[in-house]
Amino acid sequence: MGNVEQESESCCDGLVSWCFPEPEVEIDFRHIETRTGPRWVTPHTLTGGGLAGNDGEGIDGDFAAGFADNSIHTAKYTVISFIPRGLFEQFRRVANVFFLVISCLMIIGDYCGIFLTPMSAWTTLGPLTLIIGLTLVKEGFEDQKRHKADDETNHRPASVLEPQAFATPGECKYCAEDWQDVKVGMLVKVEDRQDMPADLVPLMSSEEGGKCYVETANIDGETSLKLRQCAATRSNGGVVWSTPGELAAAEVKVQIQPPNPSIHAFEGTLQMKDDPMPVPLGPHQILLRGATLRNTKWILGLVVYTGNESKLVLNSRKAPSKLSIMESQVNSVIYFIFVVYFALTTLTTITRAEWEASNAQSMWYICENFENSGNKLFEDNCSDSVGYADVSYWFTFLILFSNLLPISLYVTIETINIFQAFFIDQDLEMYDTELGVAAMARTSNMNGDLGQIEYIFSDKTGTLTCNEMKFRRCSVGGKIYGQGVTEPSLDDSVKLSPSMNTSMSSDLGGTGSLSQDPGAATLAEQGEPMDCLAALSLVALGSRATKESMVAKSFLENMAVCHTVVVELNEQTGVALYQAESPDEEALVEGAKSLGWEYSTKLFDSTLVNIDSKGEVSYMVMAVIEFDSTRKRMSTLVQMPQTGAYKLFVKGADNIIAGLAAPDGFNLVGGKEMLDAHLELFATDGLRTLVLAERDLEETEATAWLGAWRDAVTATSGRAQVMEGVAKQIEKNLRVVGCTAIEDRLQDDVPSTIADLGTAGVKLWVLTGDKMTTAIHIGHSCRLLNKDMHKLMVSVDPIDESAGPPGPIDEQLAAAAAFLENNHSAAYAAADDLLGEPNPYGIPDADSMKAWLASFFMPCLGGEQAVGAAGSDTAPANVALIIDGPSLTTVFNDDNLVEQLLKIACTCRSVLACRVSPKQKQMIVRMVIRGSKTKPTTLAIGDGANDVGMIQEAQIGVGIRGKEGRQAVNNSDFAIAQFRFLKRLMMVHGRWNYRRMAKVIVYFFHKNIVITAVIFFFTTNCAYSGQSLFEDYLYAGYNFFLGVPPFCLGFFDKDISEKAAMTYFPCYAVGREKKDLNVRIMSWMMVHALIEGSAIYFLCKAAYMGSESIWQGGTGDTADLQVFGTIVFSVMITAMLCKVVILHYTWNVLCIAGIVFSIWLYFFFLFVYGAWYSMSEAFYWVPYHAVHFAPFWLLCFLMGSGTSMADVIIETARFYLSPKYSDAVREVEHNPKSGLPCDGTSGPEPELPEGHGSSPSLNPIQTSQHGFSRGGRAGDPGEIGADEHTSQDSSDSEIFMKNLTYRPSSSRNVKSESAVSAVPAESAGTDGR
């Protein structure tokens, strides 16, 4: 999108090793040999619809076997491979492999007697089988839908032209074939609104000149019609066959490329039997599978690529696999748990050996050391007893402590992710009513990562802007026409007619009209000639052939002729609509139409233009050199009407056209300085510019060039390079006639969205292909830049003509670094600490270990600090870095420059990259990710195919469903309709999902550490015998009894409402700074779990041991191991349910039902299983004995809740002593006397819980992006927020917002939870005042 600077081929080759350890090497697809030699569609004869042998019986078997069939198989499994491949996929997870190994060890211990097995193998194997089985069922259900879709596609009907021996003028025969039976070499008939069954080369069409139109929405999402052309088998460029019957008997051979995924590249030649001249085949002679035929009755095409070799299938490769940050953190915790697990097992084994060695003589009665007992009876009876070696108990304890890892964690996380993605899809606040599309989570496992974004990389055109181009202004012959973006739309302007005369010029472009536009008035004062757009048409249609009128006419002819726009006629309304591949091109053609040069239609070899006062004029099109991101220009060679002279029309980027202009090529526009001034003016208004030029050719030169061009387009190897060389022969010595300025307005609420994201501490980098001046203007418009922000510009082109040419890039970067070091030393030093070689093994050095220890032992009760450069504790400097694409090419070839650029960029508040190529966008994202010691969480957002690279490179990719197709959406993790929805996606869904998932993960590990701690403490009381405290199946059901509440926690919990999340953006810092799931949180969780487990075990033991008389009581019941274990287990269940209750901020019916269901499920299992004698003799009737006595209920309900009191006490103390920002927000929400000030106004002061003297107040104060005003009322003397309309902010884009401030109190200090100011944002669409 936009004009982009050519990227040097050495840009990737010289990329620094520290940032890009494996540089990507682009291979020319033409040199990829998939078969020996070129690929030829060369049958013995091509007769009718198939490849035939001499007998004409259809496709030659050997030939057809050399190509892929046309069936499509997107399903992952088959009936045979489902079980083995499904199991393989499941056991790629470390946790599943671990529990499988544990189950195997249990089986070995049970049946081989090598070591003691404390539990039955089914206690682990059963749950593992259930979890894997449920996952396989889900996989099978999803794959069955893929099989169904494949069958529907493969059995769609296709009409194939049957071969015949002789050409016939009449009708020919067609046979119906399924798509899967279509083979290379067949001739397939496709009718209007039908899809292409394979990649076809069109040979005949119902339209004149062999034209046909296709829609490629199924391929790239673009709904505009594209013109395609049948192979030019006639010498004058037409089609040699007049009827399908003639084609059915034709004999041709085709040489084409090997299969490749490039949908915009195709090269080949077609040769007929009786014509030695090869026919060139290019991108306009290929109809891709999945494209839809439009505005064409029928075509007959030769099948060249089928099935898996078609370009559509080759492009349907999966996006790069991304592991979410939440999953990565879970894996890290699991690896740590493994270390603890094996250490605990080893320690227990060693302790057991020591204990037995010191107590063996006292245990002769259980056959321990019976040889030295001195008792003949024991020596005789214990001689046959089998003992276990000390080392064998390592496996016993390995099995015993296996529940340290939660077996159901991954299943729970996957399920929660699916439901969270569903909530995103169903959010009506992110539904675009104009387009009729909703937000879509294409990857469910990235939901939590949305709440941790640190960097956003955004495209401009179509992402920040609407991509709705309007032709607003132009410069023709040194004179500006059009009065800026405030001028009424051209659609509403007066359409000129032949009756108009020059007397109207005073009404259309007089001095009075200039006074209405301040920008125009300024130009008038400076002496710049200006007029309205309508006057340009009057000049071009003038009766006198003046220099001014000739330039204006050439300018409008260029706009009306030099393009690839297609005219689509609505059959119902009869209205003709323009369909263009680029919105810019459509805007220029629409602009020419409004000015009297109406492009009406395009015939085979000519373009018809309806000119006011002259009628329809035909321009003979001799050759078209199309636009691409490398050339950045388009050329059309035409033969002019009436005179027959040859003229080349060219349009392209200003810097490209300037290099191709003749020495006197700027005379018609008043000189290059005048044109540059006008371009600068347009760019300052945020308009997109193109320069139009032309060249007159002599007939001999044009004829010679056309011959060279024909040879170039028919070249069998290196065609692109040959065509580029021939194009350069004619694209030179150009004569510039003017430039165009197109408006692309910002989307709704883009400025407020960018400002709010900045308030949340997220850094936004805009990467665009526009020129620097245009990008800077848009940066100010969208509030990425502000007038007080210092701008560091790095460019290969002069930024200011008065300053002279710029210095080398390394000197510019050095100067920028020196400025930051001298004026923003803290931020610059902070960036330096965070950049450097990544640590692939995560081994901390001495400095980072000290920093970690310091942060760990700091009070955990406070909020988050300010985050500046790439996550430091220092705020970024109020500086913007602006750099262009050619400078990046130089930088990426030097590792030192890359490191310096990254340090400068991370120090700045905003970064704006101009004239960057798609590859450079991807490389910038990769530079930030790989150049930091701590991998930051990045998000890339774009709407076009040129944004796919950076979308796939970033941790999270967001696609805008815009007007440049669906390639960005198809390669993204999330899809939204407008940029403003990104704020809700991150602030509401991202933040909620992060906090929910973090709670679920911490809770899972907490409850499993608790049960492991209880078993360990019991092991110390049972002589380290390996005896389990709990009955086998009761122990196995632990994760299932507590399985439902975590789901409710992950589905529904909200610490603050969506209104609060969309008002108080600093709340987002909790996820960006990883405050809910980090080493400190997990370490504290483990300590807390150990304390809780010890309390449960030892308090239950004390109560149980002191109740011996009660338990016996004369009933004969005994207080045995099973009863004690059941009591402890019941207490644990109660305590863990109380734990999850405390974690909930919000409640609904389903959350309450989840808690009730867990209690019911546990007791239901307890009593049913306890009454089932055949299932467990040892557990028979145990629950009834346990609940029969009072201690059971006292321990369950008193101790279960008592163990959670520590959480309540700690949280209450933290709330009163060091409240967080989000605590104050919740107070505002839950105060029934105040409404949430979502409109940016102050709400009533919230009241703290009873017992505290001071209450927080919402006060309007002015804040910077890195400051938080502590204490004092807004309005008190000396308070910077005394006047909410004061505009003194020099560090936050002139944004005035609301802040949460607490009154000074001796017992309460408010700590900021944000990396930025703790501010509630202003309502969308305001300027913050």
Side-chain angles (χ1 to χ4, degrees), residues 904-1069:
I904 294 171
C906 290
T907 306
C908 297
R909 185 181 302 278
S910 303
V911 176
L912 185 59
C914 318
R915 290 193 179 277
V916 291
S917 67
K919 187 64 177 178
Q920 287 175 327
K921 291 182 180 181
Q922 180 181 4
M923 291 158 62
I924 290 174
V925 178
R926 188 181 302 178
M927 176 185 69
V928 173
I929 295 175
R930 299 189 181 182
S932 304
K933 291 180 181 178
T934 57
K935 182 179 179 181
T937 308
T938 57
L939 181 148
I941 180 170
D943 73 315
N946 58 350
D947 303 317
V948 170
M950 72 172 183
I951 285 176
Q952 293 186 342
E953 189 69 38
Q955 175 66 22
I956 295 179
V958 178
I960 298 286
R961 296 186 179 184
K963 299 185 177 182
E964 294 199 17
R966 291 180 55 90
Q967 290 198 44
V969 171
N970 293 340
N971 288 275
S972 65
D973 303 302
F974 298 90
I976 54 178
Q978 295 190 40
F979 182 82
R980 61 187 175 93
F981 294 143
L982 180 65
K983 178 169 63 176
R984 181 175 178 85
L985 186 66
M986 291 171 53
M987 301 298 146
V988 178
H989 292 282
R991 186 181 181 279
W992 279 351
N993 293 339
Y994 168 76
R995 304 213 73 179
R996 291 165 176 170
M997 192 60 71
K999 287 182 179 181
V1000 170
I1001 292 171
V1002 173
Y1003 173 74
F1004 256 89
F1005 285 105
H1006 176 89
K1007 68 182 180 63
N1008 282 62
I1009 292 175
V1010 167
I1011 192 173
T1012 304
V1014 169
I1015 293 177
F1016 173 78
F1017 293 133
F1018 173 73
T1019 300
T1020 63
N1021 289 155
C1022 67
Y1024 301 95
S1025 62
Q1027 171 65 47
S1028 175
L1029 175 60
F1030 311 118
E1031 197 276 335
D1032 291 0
Y1033 288 99
L1034 190 68
Y1035 180 63
Y1038 181 70
N1039 290 299
F1040 292 95
F1041 301 143
L1042 299 173
V1044 176
F1047 285 115
C1048 298
L1049 183 67
F1051 293 163
F1052 307 115
D1053 189 54
K1054 305 174 184 177
D1055 63 325
I1056 58 176
S1057 69
E1058 59 184 85
K1059 288 185 178 180
M1062 291 291 286
T1063 303
Y1064 303 103
F1065 300 106
C1067 290
Y1068 186 78

Side-chain angles (χ1 to χ4, degrees), residues 134-184:
L134 292 175
T135 307
L136 287 178
V137 169
K138 178 182 74 73
E139 288 280 331
F141 177 74
E142 293 177 350
D143 205 57
Q144 190 271 339
K145 292 189 290 185
R146 299 189 194 103
H147 276 286
K148 183 178 180 180
D150 289 344
D151 289 340
E152 291 178 356
T153 300
N154 292 333
H155 289 89
R156 294 177 66 177
S159 181
V160 178
L161 182 64
E162 290 188 352
Q164 58 189 45
F166 303 99
T168 57
E171 295 184 0
C172 52
K173 295 182 179 179
Y174 295 91
C175 63
E177 298 280 357
D178 289 340
W179 275 26
Q180 64 181 2
D181 297 325
V182 172
K183 295 179 175 59
V184 172

Side-chain angles (χ1 to χ4, degrees), residues 12-17 20-26 919 926 930:
C12 295
D13 301 336
L15 204 56
V16 293
S17 58
F20 302 94
E22 296 180 1
E24 296 183 5
V25 180
E26 296 187 0
K919 187 64 177 178
R926 188 181 302 178
R930 299 189 181 182

Side-chain angles (χ1 to χ4, degrees), residues 351-509:
T351 306
R352 182 206 171 277
E354 290 292 332
W355 188 93
E356 184 177 352
S358 60
N359 295 275
Q361 293 183 353
S362 303
M363 295 189 299
W364 49 265
Y365 60 92
I366 56 172
C367 297
E368 293 288 342
N369 199 20
F370 62 89
E371 298 89 348
N372 301 323
S373 65
N375 189 312
K376 181 66 173 176
L377 177 62
F378 278 98
E379 291 177 358
D380 293 340
N381 285 278
C382 291
S383 59
D384 296 332
S385 299
V386 178
Y388 297 103
D390 289 339
V391 70
S392 68
Y393 278 90
W394 190 87
F395 297 99
T396 300
F397 295 127
L398 191 72
I399 296 172
L400 187 63
F401 301 142
S402 61
N403 221 351
L404 188 61
L405 271 74
I407 191 172
S408 57
L409 175 61
Y410 282 114
V411 175
T412 303
I413 290 177
E414 283 187 358
T415 306
I416 291 174
N417 280 332
I418 292 173
F419 273 82
Q420 290 177 351
F422 174 78
F423 294 150
I424 292 175
D425 295 344
Q426 300 300 314
D427 190 348
L428 293 179
E429 295 295 327
M430 293 192 293
Y431 179 81
D432 188 276
T433 55
E434 182 178 347
L435 298 178
V437 296
M440 179 173 59
R442 295 172 48 83
T443 305
S444 62
N445 65 329
M446 295 288 180
N447 303 325
D449 291 0
L450 285 171
Q452 307 176 65
I453 303 301
E454 300 174 53
Y455 288 89
I456 294 177
F457 302 91
S458 175
D459 175 48
K460 182 187 77 69
T461 306
T463 303
L464 301 180
T465 61
C466 295
N467 207 12
E468 296 176 354
M469 309 301 179
K470 294 292 183 181
F471 177 63
R472 293 301 190 194
R473 310 177 79 176
C474 63
S475 170
V476 182
K479 184 176 182 179
I480 294 178
Y481 295 86
Q483 299 175 17
V485 297
T486 58
E487 186 181 12
S489 173
L490 286 171
D491 297 335
D492 303 325
S493 63
V494 179
K495 183 71 187 297
L496 296 178
S497 65
S499 62
M500 284 186 172
N501 53 59
T502 55
S503 64
M504 298 178 60
S505 61
S506 59
D507 298 329
L508 294 174

Side-chain angles (χ1 to χ4, degrees), residues 1059-1080:
K1059 288 185 178 180
M1062 291 291 286
T1063 303
Y1064 303 103
F1065 300 106
C1067 290
Y1068 186 78
V1070 68
R1072 194 193 68 246
E1073 298 176 8
K1074 316 294 188 295
K1075 290 298 181 181
D1076 283 352
L1077 191 62
N1078 52 39
V1079 175
R1080 182 191 302 173

Side-chain angles (χ1 to χ4, degrees), residues 36-92:
T36 57
R39 176 174 179 175
W40 283 82
V41 181
T42 51
H44 298 98
T45 57
L46 175 59
T47 55
L51 299 172
N54 294 331
D55 53 2
E57 293 180 356
I59 296 293
D60 182 89
D62 294 336
F63 171 79
F67 305 103
D69 63 29
N70 201 41
S71 60
I72 297 297
H73 303 284
T74 61
K76 189 176 182 179
Y77 306 104
T78 64
V79 175
I80 299 176
S81 67
F82 177 67
I83 297 298
R85 185 174 180 181
L87 291 176
F88 172 76
E89 293 291 335
Q90 293 303 310
F91 285 109
R92 293 175 64 183

Side-chain angles (χ1 to χ4, degrees), residues 423 996 999-1000 1003 1041-1055 1136-1138 1140-1160:
F423 294 150
R996 291 165 176 170
K999 287 182 179 181
V1000 170
Y1003 173 74
F1041 301 143
L1042 299 173
V1044 176
F1047 285 115
C1048 298
L1049 183 67
F1051 293 163
F1052 307 115
D1053 189 54
K1054 305 174 184 177
D1055 63 325
M1136 295 303 101
L1137 289 176
C1138 291
V1140 79
V1141 167
I1142 293 175
L1143 292 176
H1144 268 283
Y1145 279 111
T1146 55
W1147 289 90
N1148 56 29
V1149 175
L1150 294 177
C1151 294
I1152 299 174
I1155 299 294
V1156 174
F1157 175 77
S1158 294
I1159 298 174
W1160 173 85

Side-chain angles (χ1 to χ4, degrees), residues 586-648:
E586 182 179 351
L588 292 179
V589 176
E590 288 281 4
K593 176 182 177 181
S594 298
L595 295 174
W597 259 255
E598 179 182 0
Y599 161 60
S600 56
T601 188
K602 189 183 292 289
L603 300 179
F604 168 69
D605 56 355
S606 61
T607 296
L608 301 183
V609 178
N610 191 356
I611 303 176
D612 283 343
S613 76
K614 294 184 179 180
E616 194 169 68
V617 178
S618 176
Y619 293 82
M620 185 71 68
V621 178
M622 309 304 296
V624 176
I625 310 175
E626 295 188 350
F627 177 91
D628 60 44
S629 59
T630 302
R631 287 170 35 80
K632 293 172 288 299
R633 63 187 182 275
M634 175 187 177
S635 301
T636 302
L637 178 62
V638 302
Q639 195 170 9
M640 300 296 291
Q642 299 177 351
T643 64
Y646 290 90
K647 179 177 284 190
L648 179 71

